[in-house]
Amino acid sequence: MQIELDPHQKRQYDKLRISWMDIAHALQCARFLIKKGWHSFEWERRGSTYLQQSAFTTSLVVSYSRPFSTARSLPGLPSRLINWTNEEKALHDRILALRNEVYAHSDGASYSFQPWQSNGFTTVMESWPHRRLSKEDTLEFIVMAERILDALHERMTRIFPGC
């Protein structure tokens, strides 16, 4: 039997559930990064390891950030639902900045290219952001994401006790 929620509750529940799914996906990515030990700089690994690390890190950052952005039909997740520690808030802000400056957009401030020439040799010195999270940040993310998922679940059960 379908349960009817008023339109406001339905919209709120939908946002919470979608947010829960996105953060749960990001958490899966973080756990996989830990399992594989993928916290390296590009030059530290051979083969496709950095490429795979980059893909999981990108997925983590984008999936985690999605709930905190406004979508066409749903508002951003209110951060008041989460009781952040100072460390978690700093990590949260860093991840959102990474999403905006590196993973979803190529922010010019994150990249640097300097032509260089000496004794007839010409090159370009390049600096770009590395697609990695440190092991410490990833472990901290796991704890934070688990707490957020618990808070979202608690809020969803207040709207719909059977979820």
Side-chain angles (χ1 to χ4, degrees):
M1 176 169 109
Q2 185 173 339
I3 297 173
E4 292 295 324
L5 299 174
D6 72 57
H8 175 73
Q9 285 180 315
K10 172 77 168 98
R11 183 175 156 97
Q12 189 178 36
Y13 183 85
D14 288 353
K15 178 60 182 182
L16 293 168
R17 183 67 181 158
I18 294 166
S19 297
W20 190 94
M21 293 170 72
D22 283 335
I23 294 170
H25 176 78
L27 178 58
Q28 286 180 309
C29 291
R31 288 179 174 150
F32 194 75
L33 288 167
I34 290 294
K35 176 184 173 184
K36 295 299 235 173
W38 287 347
H39 313 286
S40 303
F41 291 100
E42 189 172 7
W43 61 85
E44 294 178 319
R45 297 288 187 120
R46 296 177 357 161
S48 66
T49 301
Y50 181 79
L51 176 64
Q52 293 172 79
Q53 169 188 301
S54 177
F56 276 87
T57 303
T58 299
S59 188
L60 181 157
V61 169
V62 171
S63 293
Y64 174 77
S65 300
R66 208 176 283 134
F68 301 98
S69 303
T70 301
R72 283 183 223 171
S73 61
L74 295 171
L77 185 66
S79 58
R80 71 182 186 290
L81 292 176
I82 297 111
N83 186 19
W84 309 98
T85 66
N86 290 338
E87 295 80 14
E88 288 171 344
K89 181 65 172 140
L91 178 61
H92 167 81
D93 290 344
R94 276 197 319 274
I95 291 172
L96 294 186
L98 284 170
R99 184 256 179 219
N100 294 334
E101 298 168 9
V102 178
Y103 291 95
H105 309 283
S106 296
D107 184 318
S110 300
Y111 296 80
S112 172
F113 305 100
Q114 180 61 51
W116 185 78
Q117 185 176 36
S118 177
N119 299 327
F121 176 75
T122 302
T123 191
V124 176
M125 294 186 291
E126 301 175 341
S127 174
W128 62 88
H130 303 285
R131 288 180 170 81
R132 68 181 286 275
L133 290 176
S134 69
K135 182 177 182 178
E136 297 74 25
D137 279 351
T138 307
L139 289 169
E140 185 179 336
F141 176 83
I142 289 170
V143 172
M144 178 179 73
E146 288 172 342
R147 282 186 357 89
I148 293 170
L149 290 175
D150 288 344
L152 293 175
H153 184 262
E154 189 275 325
R155 183 73 175 130
M156 284 187 293
T157 57
R158 278 197 261 154
I159 297 170
F160 178 49
C163 76

